[in-house]
């Protein structure tokens, strides 16, 4: 989910909108947010379909997700400079237009390389969409109605992740995967037209400020090298490949050079001095690791259901839907509770429910029903409703007011990049767990004499069904692989549950955090 962005409306400017103009423009801005968040989740359940149609493996198909996420993360630090230089209205509208064009290019992609290239473009131009929509909503509403503006913004960013998997699954099963991108065209056109009509003459003040080009280029180098290494490492046999070793060295050296540069530059593109604040440093660690676990599991679950359990993309998306619906329902209550209780308590509750959800998933059996798959997802919705708002409050607690936008942008950048790394690692870890399970199953089935009694009985049953020996062997191998992937998924869920529990002590190492006003959150 996208973190809350502390971009405020200008203190002086045109009067707030009223009546129909306010409603129409607010809906248009919400559509922009909805479209961007939707595109970060809609491809999750479509990966097997896209990979199959383009003739690549599902692990290569995940690049469609990671390329978008990492490009979006890298573009976030530029957002503040762009809005200050050209104005929030112009930057937001330009971002929506370019995002819509990039969506069309994704839909007409002719192979995996072109699709990844266009997804990188789509992610890169989408950086200003979420903070821009929030800033403009705050600007067009009167001060006493800005709570309503934030509620509209928050609900759209929570509803989009619910619709993404369901819509993506339906389109993949019943139409064609390019339409998960083509549906952005009318939405983008409507959003652009209505925003242009409603926001004319409401541009924010602009100013010239030097941009940290060196810092930005170093950021692209180390994040890009690390992401490529994570995406291609499994197929290249990791560090047995000289290419992977070189990519790792580039990432490490680039990261160190970037940190040194940013700490010494007068106007850094990323203000790393914020990590001197205890809450910000520890809160970012918990936010990034927690979000990475959440994002990795959200990617793995529909992938496993489709490739191993036999679910169609639509039903894989429906399994995930309860998490979003529960989060939408509970988030307003969680926000009110955050005004009364220490955010550390709320964050701890979220970790407990995350762990409970992962533990329940680790108990899945081969014959589990749809309801059995969906219940742990509903439990995760409870965690989602408290995790993002509580962690945002903790991260920003103690940050000086003038540094609030930079702190929000940096935490958002770190979270998005952590999610993209997690998407790459999730399938690699899952495949590694599967190999271990398959090896153990092969040893058990081999028996002391080379062929165990269960194998012999299975072959006899296959023969009774009229299958040849080769067909019987193929059936057994298919079952073994399915069991191995099931065991790997259960291991992945179990480890995820343990990791999130280990984050609780870090939460309580942060200072006491109490929200002093309305709290808002966003999902991604």
């Amino acid at each position: 989910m996208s973190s809350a962005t502390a971009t405020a409306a200008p203190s002086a400017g045109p009067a707030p909108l009223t009546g129909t103009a306010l409603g129409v423009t607010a809906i248009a801005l919400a559509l922009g947010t909805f479209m961007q968040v939707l595109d970060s989740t809609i491809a999750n359940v479509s990966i097997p379909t896209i990979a199959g149609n383009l003739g690549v493996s599902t692990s290569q198909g995940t690049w469609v997700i990671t390329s978008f996420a990492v490009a979006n993360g890298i573009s976030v630090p530029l957002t503040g400079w762009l809005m200050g230089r050209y104005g929030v209205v112009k930057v937001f509208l330009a971002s929506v237009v370019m995002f819509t064009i990039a969506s069309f290019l994704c839909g007409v992609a002719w192979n995996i390389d072109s699709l990844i290239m266009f997804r990188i473009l789509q992610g890169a131009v989408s950086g200003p969409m979420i903070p821009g929509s929030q800033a403009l909503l705050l600007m067009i509403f009167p001060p006493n109605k800005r709570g309503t503006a934030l509620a509209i913004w928050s609900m759209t960013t929570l509803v989009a992740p619910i619709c993404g998997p369901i819509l993506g699954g339906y389109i993949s099963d019943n139409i064609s995967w390019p339409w998960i991108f083509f549906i952005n065209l009318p939405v983008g056109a409507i959003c652009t037209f209505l925003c242009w009509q409603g926001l004319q003459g409401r541009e924010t003040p602009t100013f010239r400020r030097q941009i940290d080009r060196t810092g930005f280029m170093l950021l692209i180098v180390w994040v890009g090298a690390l992401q490529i290494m994570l995406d291609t490492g499994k197929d290249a046999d990791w560090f047995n490949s000289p290419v992977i070793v070189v990519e790792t060295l580039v990432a490490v050296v680039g990261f160190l050079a970037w940190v040194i540069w940013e700490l010494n530059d007068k106007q850094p593109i990323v203000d790393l001095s914020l990590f001197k604040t205890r809450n910000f440093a520890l809160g970012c660690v918990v936010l990034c690791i927690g979000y990475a676990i959440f994002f990795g599991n959200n990617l793995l679950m529909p992938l496993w259901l489709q490739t191993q359990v036999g679910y169609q993309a639509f039903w894989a998306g429906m399994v995930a839907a309860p998490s979003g619906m529960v989060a939408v329902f509970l988030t307003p209550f969680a926000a009110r509770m955050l005004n009364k209780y220490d955010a550390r308590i709320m964050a701890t509750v979220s970790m407990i429910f995350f762990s409970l959800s992962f533990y329940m998933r680790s108990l899945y059996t081969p014959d589990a029903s749809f309801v059995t798959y969906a219940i742990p997802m509903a439990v995760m919705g409870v965690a989602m409703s408290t995790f993002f708002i509580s962690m945002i409050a903790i991260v920003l607690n103690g940050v000086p007011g003038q540094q609030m936008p930079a702190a929000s942008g940096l935490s958002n950048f770190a979270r998005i990049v952590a999610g993209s790394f997690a998407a790459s690692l999730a399938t690699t870890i899952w495949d590694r767990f599967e190999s271990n399970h398959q090896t153990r199953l092969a040893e058990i089935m081999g028996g002391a004499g080379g062929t165990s009694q269960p194998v012999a009985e299975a072959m006899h049953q296959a023969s009774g069904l009229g299958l040849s020996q080769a067909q019987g062997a193929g059936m057994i191998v298919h079952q073994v692989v399915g069991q191995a992937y099931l065991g790997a998924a259960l291991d992945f869920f179990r480890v995820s549950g343990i990791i999130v529990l280990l984050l609780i002590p870090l939460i309580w190492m942060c200072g006491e955090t109490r929200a002093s006003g309305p709290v808002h959150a966003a999902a991604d």
Side-chain angles (χ1 to χ4, degrees):
M1 306 199 166
S2 291
S3 69
T5 306
T7 307
S11 57
L17 294 175
T18 57
T20 303
L22 175 61
V24 171
T25 306
I27 291 173
L29 290 169
L31 278 177
T33 304
F34 181 87
M35 182 170 62
Q36 199 272 355
V37 179
L38 181 77
D39 244 56
S40 66
T41 60
I42 195 170
N44 284 14
V45 298
S46 305
I47 291 302
T49 302
I50 294 173
N53 286 353
L54 296 181
V56 297
S57 66
T58 52
S59 61
Q60 288 176 294
T62 59
W63 297 354
V64 174
I65 296 172
T66 59
S67 58
F68 176 88
V70 74
N72 177 235
I74 290 174
S75 69
V76 166
L78 274 178
T79 298
W81 180 85
L82 287 170
M83 289 181 175
R85 177 66 181 84
Y86 299 103
V88 177
V89 175
K90 287 189 182 70
V91 171
F92 175 77
L93 288 173
S95 180
V96 172
V97 170
M98 289 188 289
F99 184 88
T100 306
I101 294 171
S103 297
F104 171 77
L105 294 174
C106 288
V108 299
W110 51 92
N111 56 30
I112 191 66
D113 293 331
S114 61
L115 179 57
I116 291 171
M117 180 177 66
F118 295 139
R119 281 287 277 178
I120 290 173
L121 174 63
Q122 191 184 39
V125 301
S126 68
M129 289 177 69
I130 288 180
S133 66
Q134 188 185 47
L136 291 170
L137 276 170
L138 290 172
M139 185 174 70
I140 65 174
F141 275 81
N144 62 329
K145 296 288 186 180
R146 283 177 184 166
T148 304
L150 293 175
I152 293 172
W153 185 82
S154 297
M155 294 308 289
T156 56
T157 56
L158 283 169
V159 170
I162 303 173
C163 300
I166 298 173
L167 192 58
Y170 180 83
I171 291 172
S172 297
D173 288 341
N174 298 283
I175 307 177
S176 178
W177 69 261
W179 283 92
I180 68 175
F181 303 112
F182 288 151
I183 60 172
N184 288 335
L185 303 186
V187 177
I190 293 170
C191 176
T192 302
F193 176 76
L194 294 179
C195 287
W196 176 253
Q197 290 292 314
L199 298 171
Q200 286 187 70
R202 310 184 73 84
E203 187 57 272
T204 58
T206 60
F207 55 90
R208 289 185 177 274
R209 192 186 74 179
Q210 188 175 8
I211 186 172
D212 178 16
R213 293 185 177 88
T214 302
F216 184 62
M217 293 306 298
L218 287 172
L219 177 66
I220 293 175
V221 168
W222 80 259
V223 172
L226 184 56
Q227 186 66 54
I228 293 171
M229 184 271 286
L230 293 173
D231 280 340
T232 60
K234 180 178 64 177
D235 295 331
D237 196 20
W238 290 106
F239 296 105
N240 291 321
S241 167
V243 175
I244 297 299
V245 173
V246 171
E247 289 169 352
T248 305
L249 289 174
V250 170
V252 172
V253 173
F255 173 74
L256 294 175
W258 175 72
V259 170
I260 294 171
W261 179 271
E262 294 299 273
L263 290 175
N264 291 278
D265 191 68
K266 293 181 179 179
Q267 291 183 321
I269 194 167
V270 176
D271 187 3
L272 297 180
S273 66
L274 288 163
F275 283 103
K276 295 177 182 178
T277 305
R278 182 180 61 171
N279 265 40
F280 185 84
L282 293 175
C284 270
V285 170
V286 176
L287 176 65
C288 290
I289 296 177
Y291 182 76
I293 296 294
F294 163 77
F295 197 85
N297 277 273
N298 270 13
L299 172 65
L300 180 65
M301 188 74 180
L303 191 62
W304 170 57
L305 289 174
Q306 290 178 79
T307 59
Q308 302 301 324
V309 182
Y311 272 51
Q312 290 184 323
F314 174 75
W315 288 105
M318 289 296 292
V319 167
S323 62
M325 290 188 288
V326 171
V328 167
F329 177 75
L330 291 180
T331 294
F333 299 101
R336 283 198 289 270
M337 290 178 65
L338 194 61
N339 287 323
K340 299 179 180 179
Y341 301 103
D342 188 344
R344 295 176 299 179
I345 297 174
M346 304 290 289
T348 300
V349 169
S350 72
M351 294 303 171
I352 291 172
F353 275 94
F354 268 132
S355 184
L356 177 60
S357 172
F358 296 139
Y359 172 73
M360 293 172 69
R361 284 188 247 182
S362 72
L363 302 178
Y364 286 155
T365 59
D367 57 348
S369 66
F370 175 88
V371 174
T372 303
Y373 289 131
I375 289 177
M377 303 302 290
V379 173
M380 188 172 73
V382 180
M384 290 166 58
S385 69
T386 58
F387 174 69
F388 292 97
I389 57 174
S390 61
M391 289 312 307
I392 290 164
I394 290 172
V395 166
L396 299 182
N397 183 42
V399 175
Q402 70 273 16
Q403 288 187 295
M404 197 68 75
S408 180
L410 176 53
S411 62
N412 194 34
F413 158 73
R415 179 190 55 79
I416 293 172
V417 173
S420 67
F421 291 165
S424 298
L425 289 172
T427 54
T428 298
I429 294 171
W430 186 39
D431 285 337
R432 184 62 57 88
F433 284 170
E434 186 275 336
S435 297
N436 293 336
H437 276 281
Q438 193 171 146
T439 299
R440 287 198 292 271
L441 286 171
E443 291 172 353
I444 294 171
M445 294 180 69
T451 303
S452 65
Q453 184 176 353
V455 174
E457 291 177 354
M459 291 295 292
H460 179 72
Q461 291 175 358
S463 178
L465 293 172
L467 300 178
S468 66
Q469 186 173 2
Q471 291 172 325
M475 180 185 71
I476 294 172
V477 169
H478 177 74
Q479 291 178 339
V480 169
V481 171
Q483 286 290 328
Y485 271 112
L486 170 63
L490 302 187
D491 286 349
F492 191 93
F493 299 142
R494 194 174 297 113
V495 171
S496 297
I498 294 171
I499 292 175
V500 294
L501 284 180
L502 294 176
L503 294 176
I504 293 177
L506 286 179
I507 292 172
W508 286 95
M509 290 172 66
C510 297
E512 182 179 358
T513 302
R514 293 183 182 273
S516 57
V519 179
H520 53 283
D524 203 47

